Amino acid sequence: MQEIFVLISFIAFFLFLFPTSFRKYFAIAGWISVVGILFAKFPDYIIANNFMYPVAAFLGIPFLIIIIPKLLEENEYSIIISRMAGIAYVIFAPFMLVPLLADWLIAVNVDLLAWVFTGIGVPYELVEWNMFRINLYRVEIILACTGIQGMAIMLGVAWAIPSSVKQKIVSFFVIVPVIFVLNILRNTFILTAYGNQWFPYFPEIASNGQIGYESFFWAHNFIAEIGALFAFIAIAYMLYWINPLLGKVMAGIVDLFVKEIRGWFGKGI
């Protein structure tokens, strides 16, 4: 089911990027499919004790309630945020839909992780081409571990705003190499913390029944997520410095949603 939603959203957002009279309907189909993806993966998130994405799935419902009417009205900011999603999908979807591309990117990350572990003296074993074992604990490197989603999203944000070719090129080098390197460091931290059981705390919150999972939970679902949030804020600030128009546009998008939500509670516009 997830793959179907991914394909639909990719096609819809791709078609949205073309200036036709139907583009707002393509955007609507794309956003509905994105929320569908989140709900389709809901069981996986629960098993992994990852609560961020289930929350995002439920937040997707009020998001759709707001964005769909605005798209039908052809509101400027609803079009811009949809363009961000369209660009991000065009970049990301090929890696998710073409196994050869995904495997190549995963292999690059595995090779670099192995190089880092060797350099810092962390003993490991590759039990499969994309699975590390440190002590007794195994972690499989999948597409979600490569940082490609974050790169695609940030490129979508940067490139959806009117900018010069120079600004787009500079934005690329601020986003892709930085996220790629930070993601390698992130994976190094998570695997090392899990393999050496650095955080065996609060199993009533962090356990999923798997021995030692608590260290993975705290490293992956908590510490790394907070670190990623600060990293994205820093990158966003650099993008604003490159193209100040980004700040104005993002403020307009936030204001659009805040006004709508305030209206729900009778706070006026």
Side-chain angles (χ1 to χ4, degrees):
M1 182 64 71
Q2 177 194 348
E3 291 76 13
I4 294 174
F5 281 126
V6 170
L7 182 60
I8 292 173
S9 57
F10 168 65
I11 294 172
F13 278 123
F14 178 75
L15 293 174
F16 164 80
L17 294 176
F18 295 93
T20 67
S21 58
F22 299 101
R23 63 193 311 238
K24 59 187 177 184
Y25 302 110
F26 292 134
I28 291 170
W31 284 120
I32 292 173
S33 297
V34 167
V35 175
I37 292 168
L38 292 172
F39 277 104
K41 296 190 69 174
F42 203 97
D44 297 335
Y45 298 138
I46 297 301
I47 292 172
N49 261 8
N50 190 326
F51 300 108
M52 184 182 73
Y53 291 103
V55 169
F58 283 109
L59 289 177
I61 296 174
F63 174 84
L64 290 176
I65 293 173
I66 294 172
I67 198 71
I68 290 175
K70 293 301 177 182
L71 282 167
L72 292 173
E73 297 169 8
E74 299 188 6
N75 172 273
E76 175 188 4
Y77 292 113
S78 70
I79 296 295
I80 291 175
I81 193 173
S82 298
R83 189 184 305 128
M84 291 176 179
I87 294 170
Y89 250 95
V90 167
I91 295 169
F92 171 67
F95 289 93
M96 192 163 189
L97 298 173
V98 182
L100 186 63
L101 279 177
D103 289 348
W104 169 79
L105 187 57
I106 292 168
V108 170
N109 279 260
V110 168
D111 289 344
L112 286 172
L113 275 172
W115 179 78
V116 172
F117 285 140
T118 300
I120 64 178
V122 174
Y124 71 90
E125 180 183 356
L126 268 177
V127 293
E128 294 184 21
W129 73 274
N130 65 332
M131 183 179 290
F132 286 90
R133 180 168 65 195
I134 297 177
N135 293 323
L136 300 176
Y137 304 96
R138 301 183 180 191
V139 176
E140 182 182 9
I141 305 300
I142 60 175
L143 185 62
C145 304
T146 65
I148 185 63
Q149 298 100 318
M151 298 177 204
I153 290 170
M154 295 306 290
L155 285 172
V157 169
W159 288 355
I161 309 300
S163 58
S164 66
V165 173
K166 179 181 177 181
Q167 287 173 318
K168 285 181 169 61
I169 293 173
V170 174
S171 297
F172 175 88
F173 284 104
V174 164
I175 294 168
V176 175
V178 172
I179 292 180
F180 187 84
V181 171
L182 289 177
N183 188 68
I184 293 295
L185 296 177
R186 169 185 175 274
N187 287 337
T188 301
F189 165 72
I190 292 170
L191 271 66
T192 305
Y194 181 43
N196 291 289
Q197 289 295 287
W198 285 355
F199 309 113
Y201 309 122
F202 304 108
E204 62 275 10
I205 298 173
S207 177
N208 69 345
Q210 180 181 337
I211 296 174
Y213 184 81
E214 295 83 0
S215 287
F216 183 86
F217 172 88
W218 292 114
H220 182 276
N221 295 357
F222 188 74
I223 298 173
E225 294 288 359
I226 293 175
L229 175 62
F230 282 106
F232 280 118
I233 291 173
I235 291 171
Y237 178 80
M238 288 188 284
L239 293 177
Y240 168 74
W241 181 78
I242 295 167
N243 184 4
L245 182 59
L246 176 62
K248 178 183 177 182
V249 170
M250 295 307 295
I253 291 172
V254 171
D255 188 55
L256 167 68
F257 285 93
V258 169
K259 284 182 177 179
E260 290 296 317
I261 293 171
R262 284 175 59 85
W264 293 350
F265 296 95
K267 299 296 184 179
I269 298 177

mmCIF file with all atom_site columns, all heavy atoms in Angstrom, residues 125-146:
data_model
loop_
_atom_site.group_PDB
_atom_site.id
_atom_site.type_symbol
_atom_site.label_atom_id
_atom_site.label_alt_id
_atom_site.label_comp_id
_atom_site.label_asym_id
_atom_site.label_entity_id
_atom_site.label_seq_id
_atom_site.pdbx_PDB_ins_code
_atom_site.Cartn_x
_atom_site.Cartn_y
_atom_site.Cartn_z
_atom_site.occupancy
_atom_site.B_iso_or_equiv
_atom_site.pdbx_formal_charge
_atom_site.auth_seq_id
_atom_site.auth_comp_id
_atom_site.auth_asym_id
_atom_site.auth_atom_id
_atom_site.pdbx_PDB_model_num
ATOM 1   N N   . GLU A 1 125 ? 31.195 -5.775  12.381 1.00 0.00 ? 125 GLU A N   1
ATOM 2   C CA  . GLU A 1 125 ? 31.168 -6.836  11.373 1.00 0.00 ? 125 GLU A CA  1
ATOM 3   C C   . GLU A 1 125 ? 30.040 -6.551  10.407 1.00 0.00 ? 125 GLU A C   1
ATOM 4   O O   . GLU A 1 125 ? 28.947 -6.147  10.811 1.00 0.00 ? 125 GLU A O   1
ATOM 5   C CB  . GLU A 1 125 ? 30.944 -8.192  12.045 1.00 0.00 ? 125 GLU A CB  1
ATOM 6   C CG  . GLU A 1 125 ? 30.913 -9.362  11.059 1.00 0.00 ? 125 GLU A CG  1
ATOM 7   C CD  . GLU A 1 125 ? 30.607 -10.680 11.742 1.00 0.00 ? 125 GLU A CD  1
ATOM 8   O OE1 . GLU A 1 125 ? 30.487 -10.691 12.985 1.00 0.00 ? 125 GLU A OE1 1
ATOM 9   O OE2 . GLU A 1 125 ? 30.463 -11.687 11.017 1.00 0.00 ? 125 GLU A OE2 1
ATOM 10  N N   . LEU A 1 126 ? 30.307 -6.709  9.119  1.00 0.00 ? 126 LEU A N   1
ATOM 11  C CA  . LEU A 1 126 ? 29.253 -6.608  8.112  1.00 0.00 ? 126 LEU A CA  1
ATOM 12  C C   . LEU A 1 126 ? 28.682 -8.005  7.897  1.00 0.00 ? 126 LEU A C   1
ATOM 13  O O   . LEU A 1 126 ? 29.271 -8.824  7.207  1.00 0.00 ? 126 LEU A O   1
ATOM 14  C CB  . LEU A 1 126 ? 29.803 -6.046  6.799  1.00 0.00 ? 126 LEU A CB  1
ATOM 15  C CG  . LEU A 1 126 ? 29.740 -4.534  6.588  1.00 0.00 ? 126 LEU A CG  1
ATOM 16  C CD1 . LEU A 1 126 ? 30.391 -4.162  5.265  1.00 0.00 ? 126 LEU A CD1 1
ATOM 17  C CD2 . LEU A 1 126 ? 28.297 -4.031  6.622  1.00 0.00 ? 126 LEU A CD2 1
ATOM 18  N N   . VAL A 1 127 ? 27.538 -8.266  8.508  1.00 0.00 ? 127 VAL A N   1
ATOM 19  C CA  . VAL A 1 127 ? 26.954 -9.601  8.399  1.00 0.00 ? 127 VAL A CA  1
ATOM 20  C C   . VAL A 1 127 ? 26.188 -9.773  7.090  1.00 0.00 ? 127 VAL A C   1
ATOM 21  O O   . VAL A 1 127 ? 25.950 -10.894 6.649  1.00 0.00 ? 127 VAL A O   1
ATOM 22  C CB  . VAL A 1 127 ? 26.042 -9.891  9.601  1.00 0.00 ? 127 VAL A CB  1
ATOM 23  C CG1 . VAL A 1 127 ? 26.858 -9.975  10.872 1.00 0.00 ? 127 VAL A CG1 1
ATOM 24  C CG2 . VAL A 1 127 ? 24.961 -8.840  9.746  1.00 0.00 ? 127 VAL A CG2 1
ATOM 25  N N   . GLU A 1 128 ? 25.762 -8.659  6.512  1.00 0.00 ? 128 GLU A N   1
ATOM 26  C CA  . GLU A 1 128 ? 25.217 -8.623  5.164  1.00 0.00 ? 128 GLU A CA  1
ATOM 27  C C   . GLU A 1 128 ? 25.743 -7.366  4.506  1.00 0.00 ? 128 GLU A C   1
ATOM 28  O O   . GLU A 1 128 ? 26.375 -6.535  5.155  1.00 0.00 ? 128 GLU A O   1
ATOM 29  C CB  . GLU A 1 128 ? 23.682 -8.640  5.181  1.00 0.00 ? 128 GLU A CB  1
ATOM 30  C CG  . GLU A 1 128 ? 23.090 -9.943  5.715  1.00 0.00 ? 128 GLU A CG  1
ATOM 31  C CD  . GLU A 1 128 ? 21.573 -9.951  5.632  1.00 0.00 ? 128 GLU A CD  1
ATOM 32  O OE1 . GLU A 1 128 ? 21.020 -9.171  4.821  1.00 0.00 ? 128 GLU A OE1 1
ATOM 33  O OE2 . GLU A 1 128 ? 20.944 -10.722 6.369  1.00 0.00 ? 128 GLU A OE2 1
ATOM 34  N N   . TRP A 1 129 ? 25.455 -7.186  3.215  1.00 0.00 ? 129 TRP A N   1
ATOM 35  C CA  . TRP A 1 129 ? 26.056 -6.057  2.503  1.00 0.00 ? 129 TRP A CA  1
ATOM 36  C C   . TRP A 1 129 ? 25.663 -4.711  3.098  1.00 0.00 ? 129 TRP A C   1
ATOM 37  O O   . TRP A 1 129 ? 26.391 -3.734  2.989  1.00 0.00 ? 129 TRP A O   1
ATOM 38  C CB  . TRP A 1 129 ? 25.668 -6.104  1.022  1.00 0.00 ? 129 TRP A CB  1
ATOM 39  C CG  . TRP A 1 129 ? 24.237 -5.728  0.734  1.00 0.00 ? 129 TRP A CG  1
ATOM 40  C CD1 . TRP A 1 129 ? 23.153 -6.544  0.762  1.00 0.00 ? 129 TRP A CD1 1
ATOM 41  C CD2 . TRP A 1 129 ? 23.749 -4.431  0.363  1.00 0.00 ? 129 TRP A CD2 1
ATOM 42  N NE1 . TRP A 1 129 ? 22.017 -5.853  0.436  1.00 0.00 ? 129 TRP A NE1 1
ATOM 43  C CE2 . TRP A 1 129 ? 22.347 -4.547  0.180  1.00 0.00 ? 129 TRP A CE2 1
ATOM 44  C CE3 . TRP A 1 129 ? 24.346 -3.187  0.146  1.00 0.00 ? 129 TRP A CE3 1
ATOM 45  C CZ2 . TRP A 1 129 ? 21.550 -3.482  -0.190 1.00 0.00 ? 129 TRP A CZ2 1
ATOM 46  C CZ3 . TRP A 1 129 ? 23.542 -2.120  -0.227 1.00 0.00 ? 129 TRP A CZ3 1
ATOM 47  C CH2 . TRP A 1 129 ? 22.167 -2.265  -0.388 1.00 0.00 ? 129 TRP A CH2 1
ATOM 48  N N   . ASN A 1 130 ? 24.497 -4.665  3.782  1.00 0.00 ? 130 ASN A N   1
ATOM 49  C CA  . ASN A 1 130 ? 24.040 -3.396  4.352  1.00 0.00 ? 130 ASN A CA  1
ATOM 50  C C   . ASN A 1 130 ? 23.662 -3.534  5.824  1.00 0.00 ? 130 ASN A C   1
ATOM 51  O O   . ASN A 1 130 ? 22.869 -2.735  6.337  1.00 0.00 ? 130 ASN A O   1
ATOM 52  C CB  . ASN A 1 130 ? 22.839 -2.863  3.567  1.00 0.00 ? 130 ASN A CB  1
ATOM 53  C CG  . ASN A 1 130 ? 21.620 -3.764  3.670  1.00 0.00 ? 130 ASN A CG  1
ATOM 54  O OD1 . ASN A 1 130 ? 21.754 -4.973  3.860  1.00 0.00 ? 130 ASN A OD1 1
ATOM 55  N ND2 . ASN A 1 130 ? 20.438 -3.195  3.538  1.00 0.00 ? 130 ASN A ND2 1
ATOM 56  N N   . MET A 1 131 ? 24.208 -4.529  6.501  1.00 0.00 ? 131 MET A N   1
ATOM 57  C CA  . MET A 1 131 ? 23.870 -4.741  7.909  1.00 0.00 ? 131 MET A CA  1
ATOM 58  C C   . MET A 1 131 ? 25.130 -4.820  8.760  1.00 0.00 ? 131 MET A C   1
ATOM 59  O O   . MET A 1 131 ? 25.988 -5.692  8.550  1.00 0.00 ? 131 MET A O   1
ATOM 60  C CB  . MET A 1 131 ? 23.040 -6.020  8.096  1.00 0.00 ? 131 MET A CB  1
ATOM 61  C CG  . MET A 1 131 ? 22.607 -6.244  9.546  1.00 0.00 ? 131 MET A CG  1
ATOM 62  S SD  . MET A 1 131 ? 21.602 -7.730  9.751  1.00 0.00 ? 131 MET A SD  1
ATOM 63  C CE  . MET A 1 131 ? 20.084 -7.208  8.926  1.00 0.00 ? 131 MET A CE  1
ATOM 64  N N   . PHE A 1 132 ? 25.227 -3.906  9.717  1.00 0.00 ? 132 PHE A N   1
ATOM 65  C CA  . PHE A 1 132 ? 26.351 -3.885  10.649 1.00 0.00 ? 132 PHE A CA  1
ATOM 66  C C   . PHE A 1 132 ? 25.980 -4.643  11.914 1.00 0.00 ? 132 PHE A C   1
ATOM 67  O O   . PHE A 1 132 ? 24.816 -4.623  12.355 1.00 0.00 ? 132 PHE A O   1
ATOM 68  C CB  . PHE A 1 132 ? 26.699 -2.441  11.038 1.00 0.00 ? 132 PHE A CB  1
ATOM 69  C CG  . PHE A 1 132 ? 27.393 -1.660  9.962  1.00 0.00 ? 132 PHE A CG  1
ATOM 70  C CD1 . PHE A 1 132 ? 26.662 -0.918  9.043  1.00 0.00 ? 132 PHE A CD1 1
ATOM 71  C CD2 . PHE A 1 132 ? 28.785 -1.653  9.871  1.00 0.00 ? 132 PHE A CD2 1
ATOM 72  C CE1 . PHE A 1 132 ? 27.295 -0.185  8.053  1.00 0.00 ? 132 PHE A CE1 1
ATOM 73  C CE2 . PHE A 1 132 ? 29.422 -0.928  8.885  1.00 0.00 ? 132 PHE A CE2 1
ATOM 74  C CZ  . PHE A 1 132 ? 28.677 -0.189  7.970  1.00 0.00 ? 132 PHE A CZ  1
ATOM 75  N N   . ARG A 1 133 ? 27.006 -5.276  12.491 1.00 0.00 ? 133 ARG A N   1
ATOM 76  C CA  . ARG A 1 133 ? 26.845 -5.830  13.831 1.00 0.00 ? 133 ARG A CA  1
ATOM 77  C C   . ARG A 1 133 ? 27.963 -5.288  14.694 1.00 0.00 ? 133 ARG A C   1
ATOM 78  O O   . ARG A 1 133 ? 29.145 -5.420  14.370 1.00 0.00 ? 133 ARG A O   1
ATOM 79  C CB  . ARG A 1 133 ? 26.885 -7.352  13.831 1.00 0.00 ? 133 ARG A CB  1
ATOM 80  C CG  . ARG A 1 133 ? 26.722 -7.933  15.254 1.00 0.00 ? 133 ARG A CG  1
ATOM 81  C CD  . ARG A 1 133 ? 26.467 -9.417  15.240 1.00 0.00 ? 133 ARG A CD  1
ATOM 82  N NE  . ARG A 1 133 ? 27.610 -10.146 14.712 1.00 0.00 ? 133 ARG A NE  1
ATOM 83  C CZ  . ARG A 1 133 ? 27.567 -11.416 14.319 1.00 0.00 ? 133 ARG A CZ  1
ATOM 84  N NH1 . ARG A 1 133 ? 26.416 -12.070 14.384 1.00 0.00 ? 133 ARG A NH1 1
ATOM 85  N NH2 . ARG A 1 133 ? 28.638 -12.022 13.862 1.00 0.00 ? 133 ARG A NH2 1
ATOM 86  N N   . ILE A 1 134 ? 27.581 -4.656  15.788 1.00 0.00 ? 134 ILE A N   1
ATOM 87  C CA  . ILE A 1 134 ? 28.534 -4.184  16.779 1.00 0.00 ? 134 ILE A CA  1
ATOM 88  C C   . ILE A 1 134 ? 28.200 -4.903  18.075 1.00 0.00 ? 134 ILE A C   1
ATOM 89  O O   . ILE A 1 134 ? 27.092 -4.768  18.603 1.00 0.00 ? 134 ILE A O   1
ATOM 90  C CB  . ILE A 1 134 ? 28.462 -2.655  16.958 1.00 0.00 ? 134 ILE A CB  1
ATOM 91  C CG1 . ILE A 1 134 ? 28.845 -1.964  15.646 1.00 0.00 ? 134 ILE A CG1 1
ATOM 92  C CG2 . ILE A 1 134 ? 29.368 -2.190  18.090 1.00 0.00 ? 134 ILE A CG2 1
ATOM 93  C CD1 . ILE A 1 134 ? 28.736 -0.448  15.690 1.00 0.00 ? 134 ILE A CD1 1
ATOM 94  N N   . ASN A 1 135 ? 29.156 -5.689  18.554 1.00 0.00 ? 135 ASN A N   1
ATOM 95  C CA  . ASN A 1 135 ? 28.910 -6.610  19.660 1.00 0.00 ? 135 ASN A CA  1
ATOM 96  C C   . ASN A 1 135 ? 27.778 -7.548  19.256 1.00 0.00 ? 135 ASN A C   1
ATOM 97  O O   . ASN A 1 135 ? 27.876 -8.207  18.243 1.00 0.00 ? 135 ASN A O   1
ATOM 98  C CB  . ASN A 1 135 ? 28.633 -5.838  20.952 1.00 0.00 ? 135 ASN A CB  1
ATOM 99  C CG  . ASN A 1 135 ? 29.884 -5.084  21.421 1.00 0.00 ? 135 ASN A CG  1
ATOM 100 O OD1 . ASN A 1 135 ? 31.005 -5.581  21.287 1.00 0.00 ? 135 ASN A OD1 1
ATOM 101 N ND2 . ASN A 1 135 ? 29.694 -3.893  21.960 1.00 0.00 ? 135 ASN A ND2 1
ATOM 102 N N   . LEU A 1 136 ? 26.675 -7.562  19.992 1.00 0.00 ? 136 LEU A N   1
ATOM 103 C CA  . LEU A 1 136 ? 25.596 -8.504  19.672 1.00 0.00 ? 136 LEU A CA  1
ATOM 104 C C   . LEU A 1 136 ? 24.470 -7.873  18.865 1.00 0.00 ? 136 LEU A C   1
ATOM 105 O O   . LEU A 1 136 ? 23.496 -8.552  18.518 1.00 0.00 ? 136 LEU A O   1
ATOM 106 C CB  . LEU A 1 136 ? 25.001 -9.078  20.972 1.00 0.00 ? 136 LEU A CB  1
ATOM 107 C CG  . LEU A 1 136 ? 25.961 -9.842  21.879 1.00 0.00 ? 136 LEU A CG  1
ATOM 108 C CD1 . LEU A 1 136 ? 25.236 -10.249 23.167 1.00 0.00 ? 136 LEU A CD1 1
ATOM 109 C CD2 . LEU A 1 136 ? 26.516 -11.068 21.172 1.00 0.00 ? 136 LEU A CD2 1
ATOM 110 N N   . TYR A 1 137 ? 24.612 -6.596  18.533 1.00 0.00 ? 137 TYR A N   1
ATOM 111 C CA  . TYR A 1 137 ? 23.462 -5.848  18.038 1.00 0.00 ? 137 TYR A CA  1
ATOM 112 C C   . TYR A 1 137 ? 23.624 -5.482  16.567 1.00 0.00 ? 137 TYR A C   1
ATOM 113 O O   . TYR A 1 137 ? 24.640 -4.933  16.156 1.00 0.00 ? 137 TYR A O   1
ATOM 114 C CB  . TYR A 1 137 ? 23.252 -4.604  18.899 1.00 0.00 ? 137 TYR A CB  1
ATOM 115 C CG  . TYR A 1 137 ? 23.090 -4.957  20.356 1.00 0.00 ? 137 TYR A CG  1
ATOM 116 C CD1 . TYR A 1 137 ? 24.173 -4.900  21.221 1.00 0.00 ? 137 TYR A CD1 1
ATOM 117 C CD2 . TYR A 1 137 ? 21.867 -5.406  20.850 1.00 0.00 ? 137 TYR A CD2 1
ATOM 118 C CE1 . TYR A 1 137 ? 24.040 -5.261  22.550 1.00 0.00 ? 137 TYR A CE1 1
ATOM 119 C CE2 . TYR A 1 137 ? 21.719 -5.769  22.180 1.00 0.00 ? 137 TYR A CE2 1
ATOM 120 C CZ  . TYR A 1 137 ? 22.820 -5.704  23.022 1.00 0.00 ? 137 TYR A CZ  1
ATOM 121 O OH  . TYR A 1 137 ? 22.679 -6.071  24.336 1.00 0.00 ? 137 TYR A OH  1
ATOM 122 N N   . ARG A 1 138 ? 22.571 -5.762  15.812 1.00 0.00 ? 138 ARG A N   1
ATOM 123 C CA  . ARG A 1 138 ? 22.603 -5.543  14.368 1.00 0.00 ? 138 ARG A CA  1
ATOM 124 C C   . ARG A 1 138 ? 21.718 -4.356  13.968 1.00 0.00 ? 138 ARG A C   1
ATOM 125 O O   . ARG A 1 138 ? 20.660 -4.145  14.547 1.00 0.00 ? 138 ARG A O   1
ATOM 126 C CB  . ARG A 1 138 ? 22.096 -6.791  13.628 1.00 0.00 ? 138 ARG A CB  1
ATOM 127 C CG  . ARG A 1 138 ? 22.890 -8.055  13.909 1.00 0.00 ? 138 ARG A CG  1
ATOM 128 C CD  . ARG A 1 138 ? 22.347 -9.189  13.071 1.00 0.00 ? 138 ARG A CD  1
ATOM 129 N NE  . ARG A 1 138 ? 23.071 -10.432 13.285 1.00 0.00 ? 138 ARG A NE  1
ATOM 130 C CZ  . ARG A 1 138 ? 22.937 -11.515 12.535 1.00 0.00 ? 138 ARG A CZ  1
ATOM 131 N NH1 . ARG A 1 138 ? 22.084 -11.508 11.506 1.00 0.00 ? 138 ARG A NH1 1
ATOM 132 N NH2 . ARG A 1 138 ? 23.629 -12.596 12.785 1.00 0.00 ? 138 ARG A NH2 1
ATOM 133 N N   . VAL A 1 139 ? 22.184 -3.620  12.961 1.00 0.00 ? 139 VAL A N   1
ATOM 134 C CA  . VAL A 1 139 ? 21.397 -2.533  12.384 1.00 0.00 ? 139 VAL A CA  1
ATOM 135 C C   . VAL A 1 139 ? 21.516 -2.615  10.872 1.00 0.00 ? 139 VAL A C   1
ATOM 136 O O   . VAL A 1 139 ? 22.625 -2.654  10.325 1.00 0.00 ? 139 VAL A O   1
ATOM 137 C CB  . VAL A 1 139 ? 21.875 -1.149  12.865 1.00 0.00 ? 139 VAL A CB  1
ATOM 138 C CG1 . VAL A 1 139 ? 21.087 -0.056  12.148 1.00 0.00 ? 139 VAL A CG1 1
ATOM 139 C CG2 . VAL A 1 139 ? 21.713 -1.013  14.366 1.00 0.00 ? 139 VAL A CG2 1
ATOM 140 N N   . GLU A 1 140 ? 20.371 -2.631  10.199 1.00 0.00 ? 140 GLU A N   1
ATOM 141 C CA  . GLU A 1 140 ? 20.348 -2.642  8.738  1.00 0.00 ? 140 GLU A CA  1
ATOM 142 C C   . GLU A 1 140 ? 20.269 -1.215  8.225  1.00 0.00 ? 140 GLU A C   1
ATOM 143 O O   . GLU A 1 140 ? 19.432 -0.429  8.676  1.00 0.00 ? 140 GLU A O   1
ATOM 144 C CB  . GLU A 1 140 ? 19.141 -3.442  8.235  1.00 0.00 ? 140 GLU A CB  1
ATOM 145 C CG  . GLU A 1 140 ? 19.066 -3.538  6.722  1.00 0.00 ? 140 GLU A CG  1
ATOM 146 C CD  . GLU A 1 140 ? 17.842 -4.301  6.261  1.00 0.00 ? 140 GLU A CD  1
ATOM 147 O OE1 . GLU A 1 140 ? 16.971 -4.611  7.103  1.00 0.00 ? 140 GLU A OE1 1
ATOM 148 O OE2 . GLU A 1 140 ? 17.743 -4.575  5.049  1.00 0.00 ? 140 GLU A OE2 1
ATOM 149 N N   . ILE A 1 141 ? 21.141 -0.858  7.308  1.00 0.00 ? 141 ILE A N   1
ATOM 150 C CA  . ILE A 1 141 ? 21.112 0.459   6.688  1.00 0.00 ? 141 ILE A CA  1
ATOM 151 C C   . ILE A 1 141 ? 20.152 0.405   5.504  1.00 0.00 ? 141 ILE A C   1
ATOM 152 O O   . ILE A 1 141 ? 20.374 -0.331  4.545  1.00 0.00 ? 141 ILE A O   1
ATOM 153 C CB  . ILE A 1 141 ? 22.522 0.887   6.216  1.00 0.00 ? 141 ILE A CB  1
ATOM 154 C CG1 . ILE A 1 141 ? 23.517 0.821   7.388  1.00 0.00 ? 141 ILE A CG1 1
ATOM 155 C CG2 . ILE A 1 141 ? 22.474 2.293   5.627  1.00 0.00 ? 141 ILE A CG2 1
ATOM 156 C CD1 . ILE A 1 141 ? 23.161 1.703   8.559  1.00 0.00 ? 141 ILE A CD1 1
ATOM 157 N N   . ILE A 1 142 ? 19.089 1.191   5.604  1.00 0.00 ? 142 ILE A N   1
ATOM 158 C CA  . ILE A 1 142 ? 18.079 1.234   4.541  1.00 0.00 ? 142 ILE A CA  1
ATOM 159 C C   . ILE A 1 142 ? 18.062 2.639   3.936  1.00 0.00 ? 142 ILE A C   1
ATOM 160 O O   . ILE A 1 142 ? 18.816 3.519   4.365  1.00 0.00 ? 142 ILE A O   1
ATOM 161 C CB  . ILE A 1 142 ? 16.692 0.836   5.080  1.00 0.00 ? 142 ILE A CB  1
ATOM 162 C CG1 . ILE A 1 142 ? 16.253 1.803   6.184  1.00 0.00 ? 142 ILE A CG1 1
ATOM 163 C CG2 . ILE A 1 142 ? 16.709 -0.599  5.592  1.00 0.00 ? 142 ILE A CG2 1
ATOM 164 C CD1 . ILE A 1 142 ? 14.843 1.559   6.691  1.00 0.00 ? 142 ILE A CD1 1
ATOM 165 N N   . LEU A 1 143 ? 17.184 2.851   2.970  1.00 0.00 ? 143 LEU A N   1
ATOM 166 C CA  . LEU A 1 143 ? 17.155 4.143   2.285  1.00 0.00 ? 143 LEU A CA  1
ATOM 167 C C   . LEU A 1 143 ? 16.895 5.288   3.256  1.00 0.00 ? 143 LEU A C   1
ATOM 168 O O   . LEU A 1 143 ? 17.463 6.376   3.111  1.00 0.00 ? 143 LEU A O   1
ATOM 169 C CB  . LEU A 1 143 ? 16.089 4.126   1.187  1.00 0.00 ? 143 LEU A CB  1
ATOM 170 C CG  . LEU A 1 143 ? 16.025 5.366   0.294  1.00 0.00 ? 143 LEU A CG  1
ATOM 171 C CD1 . LEU A 1 143 ? 17.327 5.557   -0.478 1.00 0.00 ? 143 LEU A CD1 1
ATOM 172 C CD2 . LEU A 1 143 ? 14.834 5.279   -0.654 1.00 0.00 ? 143 LEU A CD2 1
ATOM 173 N N   . ALA A 1 144 ? 16.046 5.051   4.253  1.00 0.00 ? 144 ALA A N   1
ATOM 174 C CA  . ALA A 1 144 ? 15.731 6.100   5.221  1.00 0.00 ? 144 ALA A CA  1
ATOM 175 C C   . ALA A 1 144 ? 16.947 6.511   6.046  1.00 0.00 ? 144 ALA A C   1
ATOM 176 O O   . ALA A 1 144 ? 16.931 7.573   6.673  1.00 0.00 ? 144 ALA A O   1
ATOM 177 C CB  . ALA A 1 144 ? 14.617 5.621   6.152  1.00 0.00 ? 144 ALA A CB  1
ATOM 178 N N   . CYS A 1 145 ? 17.994 5.689   6.045  1.00 0.00 ? 145 CYS A N   1
ATOM 179 C CA  . CYS A 1 145 ? 19.202 5.993   6.814  1.00 0.00 ? 145 CYS A CA  1
ATOM 180 C C   . CYS A 1 145 ? 20.212 6.832   6.027  1.00 0.00 ? 145 CYS A C   1
ATOM 181 O O   . CYS A 1 145 ? 21.283 7.151   6.555  1.00 0.00 ? 145 CYS A O   1
ATOM 182 C CB  . CYS A 1 145 ? 19.903 4.703   7.249  1.00 0.00 ? 145 CYS A CB  1
ATOM 183 S SG  . CYS A 1 145 ? 18.876 3.562   8.191  1.00 0.00 ? 145 CYS A SG  1
ATOM 184 N N   . THR A 1 146 ? 19.895 7.173   4.791  1.00 0.00 ? 146 THR A N   1
ATOM 185 C CA  . THR A 1 146 ? 20.883 7.842   3.935  1.00 0.00 ? 146 THR A CA  1
ATOM 186 C C   . THR A 1 146 ? 20.791 9.362   3.952  1.00 0.00 ? 146 THR A C   1
ATOM 187 O O   . THR A 1 146 ? 21.671 10.033  3.409  1.00 0.00 ? 146 THR A O   1
ATOM 188 C CB  . THR A 1 146 ? 20.722 7.375   2.474  1.00 0.00 ? 146 THR A CB  1
ATOM 189 O OG1 . THR A 1 146 ? 19.438 7.800   1.977  1.00 0.00 ? 146 THR A OG1 1
ATOM 190 C CG2 . THR A 1 146 ? 20.841 5.848   2.373  1.00 0.00 ? 146 THR A CG2 1
#
